[in-house]
Amino acid sequence: MNHRFFEERLFSDEPLPPEEQLLLEEHIHSCERCRALRTAWQETEVELKLAQWITPRAGFSRRWRERFLRHTALAQQRRALGVFLVTSLLAALFAFPFFALIASPAQPLWLRVMVALYNLSALIPAVEGVVTFLSTVGRAIAQVIPPMVEIAFGMAFLGLMAIWLAMLRKFSFGRVRTQ
Amino acid sequence: MKPTVQGEDIREQELHWVQQALAGDTEAFVQLIEVYQQSVYNLCYRMLGNAEDAEDAAQETFLRAFHSLRKFDQQRSFVTWLLSIAAHHCIDQIRKRKMTVFSLDDNPDLEFAGHDPLPEATISLREDQQRLQQLLKRLSETDRAAIVLYYWYDFSYEEIAQSLSLTVSAVKSRLHRARRALAESWLEKYPPTSREVERKGYESPVF
Protein backbone atom coordinates (compact mmCIF):
# COMPACT_ATOMS: atom_id res chain seq x y z
CA MET A 1 0.00 0.00 0.00
CA ASN A 2 1.33 3.41 -0.94
CA HIS A 3 1.74 6.59 1.09
CA ARG A 4 -1.46 8.18 -0.29
CA PHE A 5 -3.54 5.27 0.95
CA PHE A 6 -2.34 5.84 4.51
CA GLU A 7 -2.60 9.61 4.29
CA GLU A 8 -6.25 9.27 3.30
CA ARG A 9 -6.92 7.02 6.29
CA LEU A 10 -5.64 9.70 8.68
CA PHE A 11 -8.76 11.83 8.17
CA SER A 12 -11.36 9.12 8.21
CA ASP A 13 -13.52 8.95 11.33
CA GLU A 14 -14.74 5.47 10.53
CA PRO A 15 -12.93 2.70 12.42
CA LEU A 16 -10.36 0.76 10.40
CA PRO A 17 -10.10 -3.05 10.46
CA PRO A 18 -7.41 -4.10 13.00
CA GLU A 19 -4.93 -5.21 10.35
CA GLU A 20 -5.25 -1.90 8.48
CA GLN A 21 -4.92 0.02 11.73
CA LEU A 22 -1.69 -1.84 12.46
CA LEU A 23 -0.32 -1.07 9.00
CA LEU A 24 -1.31 2.57 9.45
CA GLU A 25 0.53 2.80 12.77
CA GLU A 26 3.62 1.23 11.19
CA HIS A 27 3.46 3.69 8.33
CA ILE A 28 3.03 6.68 10.67
CA HIS A 29 6.01 5.52 12.66
CA SER A 30 8.19 5.57 9.56
CA CYS A 31 6.65 8.55 7.68
CA GLU A 32 7.42 12.01 9.00
CA ARG A 33 4.76 13.74 6.86
CA CYS A 34 1.97 11.45 8.03
CA ARG A 35 3.11 11.80 11.63
CA ALA A 36 3.03 15.56 11.39
CA LEU A 37 -0.37 15.54 9.69
CA ARG A 38 -1.86 13.25 12.26
CA THR A 39 -0.59 15.38 15.13
CA ALA A 40 -1.85 18.51 13.39
CA TRP A 41 -5.30 17.01 12.89
CA GLN A 42 -5.48 15.75 16.48
CA GLU A 43 -4.64 19.24 17.76
CA THR A 44 -7.15 20.86 15.40
CA GLU A 45 -9.85 18.42 16.42
CA VAL A 46 -9.26 19.23 20.10
CA GLU A 47 -9.51 22.91 19.23
CA LEU A 48 -12.82 22.32 17.41
CA LYS A 49 -14.30 20.20 20.17
CA LEU A 50 -13.34 22.61 22.94
CA ALA A 51 -14.43 25.73 21.08
CA GLN A 52 -16.77 28.02 22.99
CA TRP A 53 -20.29 28.80 21.83
CA ILE A 54 -20.82 32.40 20.96
CA THR A 55 -23.98 34.13 22.11
CA PRO A 56 -25.71 37.11 20.53
CA ARG A 57 -25.99 40.44 22.34
CA ALA A 58 -28.81 40.72 24.86
CA GLY A 59 -32.17 41.67 23.36
CA PHE A 60 -31.94 39.46 20.27
CA SER A 61 -35.66 38.61 20.24
CA ARG A 62 -36.64 42.27 20.80
CA ARG A 63 -34.53 43.24 17.81
CA TRP A 64 -36.19 40.44 15.81
CA ARG A 65 -39.65 41.78 16.69
CA GLU A 66 -38.63 45.25 15.45
CA ARG A 67 -37.19 43.79 12.27
CA PHE A 68 -40.30 41.70 11.73
CA LEU A 69 -42.60 44.75 12.07
CA ARG A 70 -40.42 46.79 9.69
CA HIS A 71 -40.35 43.93 7.20
CA THR A 72 -44.12 43.39 7.43
CA ALA A 73 -44.89 47.10 6.93
CA LEU A 74 -42.55 47.26 3.94
CA ALA A 75 -44.08 44.15 2.39
CA GLN A 76 -47.59 45.58 2.82
CA GLN A 77 -46.58 48.85 1.19
CA ARG A 78 -45.04 46.96 -1.71
CA ARG A 79 -48.19 44.90 -2.15
CA ALA A 80 -50.38 48.02 -2.04
CA LEU A 81 -48.18 49.69 -4.65
CA GLY A 82 -48.31 46.56 -6.78
CA VAL A 83 -52.11 46.46 -6.59
CA PHE A 84 -52.29 50.15 -7.46
CA LEU A 85 -49.99 49.78 -10.47
CA VAL A 86 -51.77 46.69 -11.76
CA THR A 87 -55.23 48.25 -11.42
CA SER A 88 -54.00 51.48 -13.05
CA LEU A 89 -52.59 49.52 -15.94
CA LEU A 90 -55.75 47.48 -16.32
CA ALA A 91 -57.92 50.62 -16.18
CA ALA A 92 -55.79 52.28 -18.83
CA LEU A 93 -55.90 49.19 -21.03
CA PHE A 94 -59.69 49.04 -20.78
CA ALA A 95 -60.26 52.79 -21.07
CA PHE A 96 -58.27 53.46 -24.23
CA PRO A 97 -60.00 50.99 -26.55
CA PHE A 98 -63.34 52.22 -25.23
CA PHE A 99 -62.30 55.80 -25.92
CA ALA A 100 -61.18 54.87 -29.44
CA LEU A 101 -64.52 53.14 -30.11
CA ILE A 102 -66.69 56.12 -29.24
CA ALA A 103 -64.38 58.82 -30.67
CA SER A 104 -65.47 60.45 -33.93
CA PRO A 105 -63.55 59.06 -36.93
CA ALA A 106 -63.58 62.56 -38.43
CA GLN A 107 -61.35 63.82 -35.70
CA PRO A 108 -58.40 61.54 -35.19
CA LEU A 109 -57.20 61.24 -31.61
CA TRP A 110 -53.69 62.44 -32.33
CA LEU A 111 -55.09 65.62 -33.91
CA ARG A 112 -57.30 66.40 -30.92
CA VAL A 113 -54.41 65.79 -28.54
CA MET A 114 -52.16 68.08 -30.61
CA VAL A 115 -54.82 70.82 -30.57
CA ALA A 116 -55.24 70.52 -26.82
CA LEU A 117 -51.46 70.69 -26.32
CA TYR A 118 -51.29 73.72 -28.62
CA ASN A 119 -54.03 75.42 -26.60
CA LEU A 120 -52.18 74.66 -23.42
CA SER A 121 -48.82 75.87 -24.73
CA ALA A 122 -50.43 79.07 -25.96
CA LEU A 123 -52.10 79.55 -22.63
CA ILE A 124 -49.15 79.09 -20.31
CA PRO A 125 -47.16 82.26 -21.19
CA ALA A 126 -50.26 84.41 -20.81
CA VAL A 127 -51.62 82.79 -17.70
CA GLU A 128 -53.18 85.26 -15.34
CA GLY A 129 -53.80 82.92 -12.46
CA VAL A 130 -54.22 79.38 -11.42
CA VAL A 131 -58.00 79.51 -11.74
CA THR A 132 -57.84 80.76 -15.31
CA PHE A 133 -55.29 78.13 -16.19
CA LEU A 134 -57.33 75.32 -14.72
CA SER A 135 -60.55 76.46 -16.32
CA THR A 136 -58.82 76.70 -19.70
CA VAL A 137 -57.44 73.21 -19.25
CA GLY A 138 -60.91 72.05 -18.38
CA ARG A 139 -62.31 73.65 -21.49
CA ALA A 140 -59.54 72.20 -23.63
CA ILE A 141 -60.28 68.75 -22.28
CA ALA A 142 -63.99 69.24 -22.73
CA GLN A 143 -63.39 70.15 -26.39
CA VAL A 144 -61.40 67.03 -27.05
CA ILE A 145 -63.26 64.41 -25.04
CA PRO A 146 -66.97 63.65 -25.57
CA PRO A 147 -69.15 63.77 -22.42
CA MET A 148 -69.72 60.00 -22.43
CA VAL A 149 -66.00 59.35 -22.33
CA GLU A 150 -65.55 61.90 -19.55
CA ILE A 151 -68.20 60.10 -17.53
CA ALA A 152 -66.60 56.74 -18.27
CA PHE A 153 -63.18 58.06 -17.24
CA GLY A 154 -64.61 59.62 -14.12
CA MET A 155 -66.31 56.38 -13.11
CA ALA A 156 -63.18 54.35 -13.86
CA PHE A 157 -61.07 56.80 -11.86
CA LEU A 158 -63.45 56.70 -8.90
CA GLY A 159 -63.55 52.90 -9.02
CA LEU A 160 -59.77 52.79 -9.18
CA MET A 161 -59.47 55.16 -6.23
CA ALA A 162 -61.91 53.04 -4.23
CA ILE A 163 -59.92 49.84 -4.94
CA TRP A 164 -56.66 51.59 -4.18
CA LEU A 165 -57.92 53.02 -0.89
CA ALA A 166 -59.34 49.66 0.13
CA MET A 167 -56.04 47.90 -0.64
CA LEU A 168 -54.05 50.59 1.12
CA ARG A 169 -56.22 50.26 4.19
CA LYS A 170 -55.99 46.49 4.15
CA PHE A 171 -52.25 46.14 3.57
CA SER A 172 -50.72 49.27 5.07
CA PHE A 173 -52.87 50.30 7.97
CA GLY A 174 -54.11 46.90 9.12
CA ARG A 175 -52.78 46.03 12.56
CA VAL A 176 -49.94 43.54 12.70
CA ARG A 177 -50.83 40.79 15.09
CA THR A 178 -48.21 40.49 17.77
CA GLN A 179 -50.07 38.41 20.32
CA MET B 1 -20.45 22.85 27.25
CA LYS B 2 -22.43 22.84 24.05
CA PRO B 3 -26.15 23.49 24.63
CA THR B 4 -28.42 20.57 23.91
CA VAL B 5 -31.10 21.33 21.37
CA GLN B 6 -33.43 18.36 21.67
CA GLY B 7 -35.39 16.41 24.22
CA GLU B 8 -38.92 15.05 24.33
CA ASP B 9 -40.39 17.89 26.41
CA ILE B 10 -38.87 20.64 24.34
CA ARG B 11 -39.93 18.83 21.16
CA GLU B 12 -43.55 18.84 22.27
CA GLN B 13 -43.28 22.43 23.42
CA GLU B 14 -41.67 23.57 20.16
CA LEU B 15 -44.37 21.84 18.10
CA HIS B 16 -46.97 23.67 20.17
CA TRP B 17 -45.19 26.98 19.51
CA VAL B 18 -44.88 26.14 15.81
CA GLN B 19 -48.63 25.50 15.58
CA GLN B 20 -49.41 28.75 17.40
CA ALA B 21 -47.03 30.64 15.14
CA LEU B 22 -48.71 29.06 12.13
CA ALA B 23 -51.97 30.50 13.42
CA GLY B 24 -50.34 33.94 13.31
CA ASP B 25 -49.11 34.26 16.89
CA THR B 26 -45.70 35.93 16.62
CA GLU B 27 -45.18 35.73 20.39
CA ALA B 28 -45.12 31.92 20.11
CA PHE B 29 -42.44 32.25 17.46
CA VAL B 30 -40.50 34.58 19.75
CA GLN B 31 -40.42 31.72 22.27
CA LEU B 32 -38.74 29.57 19.63
CA ILE B 33 -36.26 32.38 19.02
CA GLU B 34 -35.47 32.50 22.74
CA VAL B 35 -34.67 28.79 22.70
CA TYR B 36 -32.67 28.65 19.47
CA GLN B 37 -31.08 32.06 19.12
CA GLN B 38 -27.72 30.87 20.41
CA SER B 39 -27.60 27.83 18.12
CA VAL B 40 -28.44 29.91 15.07
CA TYR B 41 -26.18 32.80 16.02
CA ASN B 42 -23.22 30.53 16.73
CA LEU B 43 -23.59 28.83 13.35
CA CYS B 44 -23.80 32.20 11.59
CA TYR B 45 -20.79 33.46 13.50
CA ARG B 46 -18.72 30.38 12.61
CA MET B 47 -19.75 30.72 8.99
CA LEU B 48 -19.37 34.47 8.54
CA GLY B 49 -16.64 35.24 11.07
CA ASN B 50 -17.87 38.47 12.57
CA ALA B 51 -20.52 39.56 15.06
CA GLU B 52 -22.31 42.11 12.88
CA ASP B 53 -22.85 39.78 9.93
CA ALA B 54 -23.73 36.92 12.27
CA GLU B 55 -26.42 39.03 13.97
CA ASP B 56 -27.88 40.06 10.63
CA ALA B 57 -27.82 36.51 9.27
CA ALA B 58 -29.36 35.07 12.44
CA GLN B 59 -32.16 37.66 12.39
CA GLU B 60 -32.78 36.97 8.71
CA THR B 61 -32.82 33.22 9.38
CA PHE B 62 -35.63 33.60 11.91
CA LEU B 63 -37.52 35.91 9.58
CA ARG B 64 -37.29 33.40 6.73
CA ALA B 65 -38.24 30.59 9.06
CA PHE B 66 -41.32 32.50 10.21
CA HIS B 67 -42.42 33.22 6.66
CA SER B 68 -41.88 29.65 5.48
CA LEU B 69 -43.17 27.92 8.59
CA ARG B 70 -45.89 26.25 6.51
CA LYS B 71 -43.17 24.36 4.64
CA PHE B 72 -41.78 22.92 7.88
CA ASP B 73 -42.39 19.19 8.09
CA GLN B 74 -43.45 18.66 11.69
CA GLN B 75 -42.09 15.10 11.64
CA ARG B 76 -38.61 16.59 11.34
CA SER B 77 -36.55 18.30 14.01
CA PHE B 78 -37.26 22.02 14.14
CA VAL B 79 -33.68 22.94 14.98
CA THR B 80 -32.31 20.90 12.05
CA TRP B 81 -34.69 22.75 9.74
CA LEU B 82 -33.77 26.10 11.30
CA LEU B 83 -30.03 25.46 11.06
CA SER B 84 -30.50 24.36 7.48
CA ILE B 85 -32.02 27.75 6.66
CA ALA B 86 -29.19 29.47 8.52
CA ALA B 87 -26.49 27.44 6.75
CA HIS B 88 -27.98 28.08 3.30
CA HIS B 89 -28.35 31.78 4.05
CA CYS B 90 -24.75 32.04 5.24
CA ILE B 91 -23.46 30.13 2.21
CA ASP B 92 -25.38 32.55 -0.03
CA GLN B 93 -24.01 35.53 1.87
CA ILE B 94 -20.42 34.30 1.54
CA ARG B 95 -20.88 33.69 -2.16
CA LYS B 96 -22.55 37.07 -2.61
CA ARG B 97 -20.11 39.15 -0.70
CA LYS B 98 -17.07 37.04 -1.51
CA MET B 99 -16.17 37.25 2.12
CA THR B 100 -12.59 36.29 2.63
CA VAL B 101 -11.47 38.57 5.43
CA PHE B 102 -12.18 37.39 8.93
CA SER B 103 -11.30 39.58 11.85
CA LEU B 104 -12.26 39.35 15.48
CA ASP B 105 -10.54 42.63 16.22
CA ASP B 106 -13.60 44.43 14.85
CA ASN B 107 -15.86 42.74 17.37
CA PRO B 108 -15.35 44.18 20.82
CA ASP B 109 -18.83 43.01 21.87
CA LEU B 110 -18.12 39.35 21.23
CA GLU B 111 -19.72 37.23 23.94
CA PHE B 112 -18.95 33.65 24.84
CA ALA B 113 -21.37 31.23 26.43
CA GLY B 114 -20.54 30.90 30.12
CA HIS B 115 -17.51 33.13 29.73
CA ASP B 116 -15.24 34.04 32.59
CA PRO B 117 -15.37 37.73 33.46
CA LEU B 118 -11.61 37.86 34.04
CA PRO B 119 -9.89 39.88 31.31
CA GLU B 120 -7.06 37.35 30.96
CA ALA B 121 -9.53 34.55 30.37
CA THR B 122 -11.45 36.68 27.87
CA ILE B 123 -8.27 37.54 26.01
CA SER B 124 -7.32 33.88 25.91
CA LEU B 125 -10.76 32.97 24.59
CA ARG B 126 -10.54 35.66 21.93
CA GLU B 127 -7.18 34.32 20.82
CA ASP B 128 -8.57 30.78 20.63
CA GLN B 129 -11.55 31.98 18.61
CA GLN B 130 -9.31 33.98 16.33
CA ARG B 131 -7.11 30.98 15.68
CA LEU B 132 -10.16 28.84 14.97
CA GLN B 133 -11.72 31.36 12.60
CA GLN B 134 -8.41 31.67 10.78
CA LEU B 135 -8.54 27.93 10.21
CA LEU B 136 -12.20 27.87 9.18
CA LYS B 137 -11.78 30.65 6.65
CA ARG B 138 -9.52 28.38 4.62
CA LEU B 139 -12.46 26.11 3.87
CA SER B 140 -15.03 26.55 1.15
CA GLU B 141 -18.42 27.73 2.43
CA THR B 142 -20.10 24.32 2.14
CA ASP B 143 -17.15 22.47 3.72
CA ARG B 144 -17.15 25.02 6.52
CA ALA B 145 -20.87 24.47 7.12
CA ALA B 146 -20.32 20.70 7.21
CA ILE B 147 -17.49 21.02 9.74
CA VAL B 148 -19.45 23.43 11.95
CA LEU B 149 -22.55 21.23 11.94
CA TYR B 150 -20.50 18.11 12.63
CA TYR B 151 -18.28 19.41 15.43
CA TRP B 152 -20.43 22.05 17.13
CA TYR B 153 -23.89 20.58 16.69
CA ASP B 154 -23.05 16.86 16.68
CA PHE B 155 -25.10 16.40 13.53
CA SER B 156 -25.01 12.97 11.90
CA TYR B 157 -23.98 12.58 8.27
CA GLU B 158 -27.66 12.22 7.37
CA GLU B 159 -28.62 15.41 9.19
CA ILE B 160 -25.81 17.35 7.53
CA ALA B 161 -26.83 15.94 4.15
CA GLN B 162 -30.42 16.98 4.79
CA SER B 163 -29.42 20.43 6.02
CA LEU B 164 -27.04 21.22 3.18
CA SER B 165 -28.99 19.45 0.41
CA LEU B 166 -26.16 17.00 -0.24
CA THR B 167 -25.89 13.24 -0.41
CA VAL B 168 -24.43 11.34 2.54
CA SER B 169 -21.41 10.33 0.48
CA ALA B 170 -20.86 13.96 -0.53
CA VAL B 171 -20.94 14.94 3.15
CA LYS B 172 -18.36 12.27 4.01
CA SER B 173 -16.17 13.39 1.16
CA ARG B 174 -16.49 17.08 2.13
CA LEU B 175 -15.72 16.36 5.79
CA HIS B 176 -12.70 14.31 4.81
CA ARG B 177 -11.44 17.08 2.54
CA ALA B 178 -12.12 19.71 5.18
CA ARG B 179 -10.25 17.77 7.88
CA ARG B 180 -7.29 17.42 5.61
CA ALA B 181 -7.35 21.14 4.74
CA LEU B 182 -7.62 22.08 8.41
CA ALA B 183 -4.70 19.81 9.35
CA GLU B 184 -2.58 21.23 6.56
CA SER B 185 -3.41 24.78 7.62
CA TRP B 186 -2.53 23.93 11.19
CA LEU B 187 0.72 22.38 10.07
CA GLU B 188 1.50 25.42 7.98
CA LYS B 189 0.80 27.76 10.88
CA TYR B 190 2.43 25.66 13.56
CA PRO B 191 5.09 23.52 11.90
CA PRO B 192 6.54 20.70 14.06
CA THR B 193 9.89 22.50 14.36
CA SER B 194 8.26 25.65 15.78
CA ARG B 195 6.29 23.55 18.23
CA GLU B 196 9.52 21.85 19.30
CA VAL B 197 11.16 25.24 19.79
CA GLU B 198 8.14 26.52 21.75
CA ARG B 199 8.19 23.47 23.97
CA LYS B 200 11.90 23.72 24.60
CA GLY B 201 11.49 27.40 25.41
CA TYR B 202 9.54 26.72 28.58
CA GLU B 203 10.73 23.24 29.41
CA SER B 204 13.55 22.84 31.87
CA PRO B 205 16.85 22.25 30.07
CA VAL B 206 17.65 19.63 32.71
CA PHE B 207 15.07 17.22 31.29
Side-chain angles (χ1 to χ4, degrees):
Chain A
M1 283 177 234
N2 60 16
H3 168 82
R4 185 152 181 86
F5 173 83
F6 292 114
E7 204 176 287
E8 289 299 315
R9 295 295 175 278
L10 289 175
F11 305 106
S12 170
D13 61 350
E14 288 171 0
L16 295 175
E19 60 275 17
E20 263 189 38
Q21 186 64 39
L22 196 66
L23 286 170
L24 179 66
E25 292 303 327
E26 280 173 11
H27 176 78
I28 287 168
H29 187 71
S30 61
C31 174
E32 198 178 329
R33 165 85 182 156
C34 284
R35 204 162 50 243
L37 271 176
R38 181 160 84 163
T39 309
W41 171 239
Q42 283 170 343
E43 289 174 355
T44 311
E45 200 173 24
V46 168
E47 193 95 355
L48 286 170
K49 285 179 175 169
L50 295 181
Q52 291 280 318
W53 276 59
I54 299 170
T55 56
R57 280 185 294 119
F60 183 87
S61 53
R62 179 184 47 77
R63 291 193 297 281
W64 183 82
R65 269 195 205 97
E66 289 164 3
R67 190 183 179 112
F68 172 73
L69 290 176
R70 276 200 310 274
H71 188 268
T72 308
L74 195 67
Q76 286 172 345
Q77 282 167 10
R78 280 184 187 152
R79 274 200 297 269
L81 184 66
V83 168
F84 175 71
L85 290 175
V86 169
T87 48
S88 303
L89 186 68
L90 287 174
L93 284 174
F94 280 108
F96 276 105
F98 177 69
F99 177 69
L101 272 176
I102 62 171
S104 164
Q107 290 179 306
L109 176 63
W110 66 269
L111 184 61
R112 279 176 287 158
V113 171
M114 290 298 285
V115 169
L117 287 175
Y118 175 77
N119 287 343
L120 283 174
S121 66
L123 176 72
I124 288 167
V127 69
E128 292 175 349
V130 176
V131 177
T132 317
F133 176 72
L134 289 176
S135 62
T136 314
V137 171
R139 279 198 296 276
I141 291 170
Q143 278 178 353
V144 172
I145 302 172
M148 278 300 290
V149 177
E150 282 178 32
I151 293 165
F153 263 111
M155 296 295 284
F157 182 73
L158 284 174
L160 193 66
M161 283 298 289
I163 293 169
W164 184 70
L165 286 173
M167 290 299 116
L168 203 64
R169 187 169 183 279
K170 186 177 178 187
F171 291 125
S172 293
F173 302 113
R175 280 195 308 130
V176 176
R177 189 176 172 189
T178 56
Q179 282 196 336
Chain B
M1 189 185 152
K2 295 174 185 182
T4 52
V5 289
Q6 277 302 334
E8 216 35 59
D9 289 344
I10 191 136
R11 171 122 184 94
E12 275 181 28
Q13 182 62 64
E14 81 183 15
L15 278 178
H16 177 64
W17 284 329
V18 165
Q19 278 153 9
Q20 282 185 306
L22 276 170
D25 183 356
T26 48
E27 276 312 302
F29 193 76
V30 168
Q31 297 300 317
L32 288 164
I33 295 176
E34 291 291 346
V35 174
Y36 294 118
Q37 56 176 285
Q38 193 189 1
S39 303
V40 171
Y41 182 84
N42 186 67
L43 172 67
C44 295
Y45 184 85
R46 295 301 170 193
M47 289 296 291
L48 301 171
N50 70 72
E52 197 184 328
D53 290 334
E55 164 86 15
D56 190 61
Q59 294 275 350
E60 186 61 29
T61 297
F62 283 111
L63 203 58
R64 287 183 181 195
F66 183 77
H67 287 305
S68 48
L69 209 51
R70 288 190 193 285
K71 292 180 194 163
F72 169 57
D73 174 5
Q74 294 184 22
Q75 303 302 313
R76 278 181 65 187
S77 152
F78 181 74
V79 72
T80 308
W81 180 71
L82 196 59
L83 292 173
S84 165
I85 296 174
H88 280 292
H89 178 65
C90 291
I91 288 170
D92 288 346
Q93 288 302 303
I94 296 168
R95 285 179 184 162
K96 209 181 283 177
R97 298 176 193 172
K98 304 279 179 202
M99 286 182 67
T100 49
V101 179
F102 280 70
S103 171
L104 293 179
D105 296 336
D106 303 335
N107 304 305
D109 57 344
L110 192 64
E111 290 179 25
F112 299 101
H115 67 88
D116 194 321
L118 289 172
E120 295 86 355
T122 308
I123 290 166
S124 168
L125 275 177
R126 282 172 64 88
E127 284 171 357
D128 287 349
Q129 296 304 325
Q130 200 162 15
R131 191 165 56 221
L132 203 52
Q133 288 303 138
Q134 289 294 328
L135 286 174
L136 287 173
K137 80 171 186 182
R138 305 278 186 101
L139 304 177
S140 75
E141 52 273 11
T142 312
D143 290 1
R144 197 181 308 164
I147 282 284
V148 171
L149 291 173
Y150 190 79
Y151 286 100
W152 266 275
Y153 297 85
D154 298 326
F155 270 28
S156 63
Y157 291 138
E158 288 76 17
E159 284 172 320
I160 298 173
Q162 206 173 34
S163 299
L164 300 179
S165 314
L166 299 169
T167 61
V168 171
S169 59
V171 169
K172 285 182 183 174
S173 156
R174 280 183 179 276
L175 280 173
H176 189 275
R177 189 172 60 196
R179 286 187 194 112
R180 189 193 180 94
L182 287 172
E184 280 172 351
S185 298
W186 185 275
L187 205 55
E188 197 181 296
K189 205 165 169 61
Y190 310 105
T193 48
S194 78
R195 272 179 281 168
E196 282 297 311
V197 169
E198 273 175 34
R199 200 173 297 133
K200 280 172 185 166
Y202 57 75
E203 275 175 3
S204 167
V206 175
F207 300 104

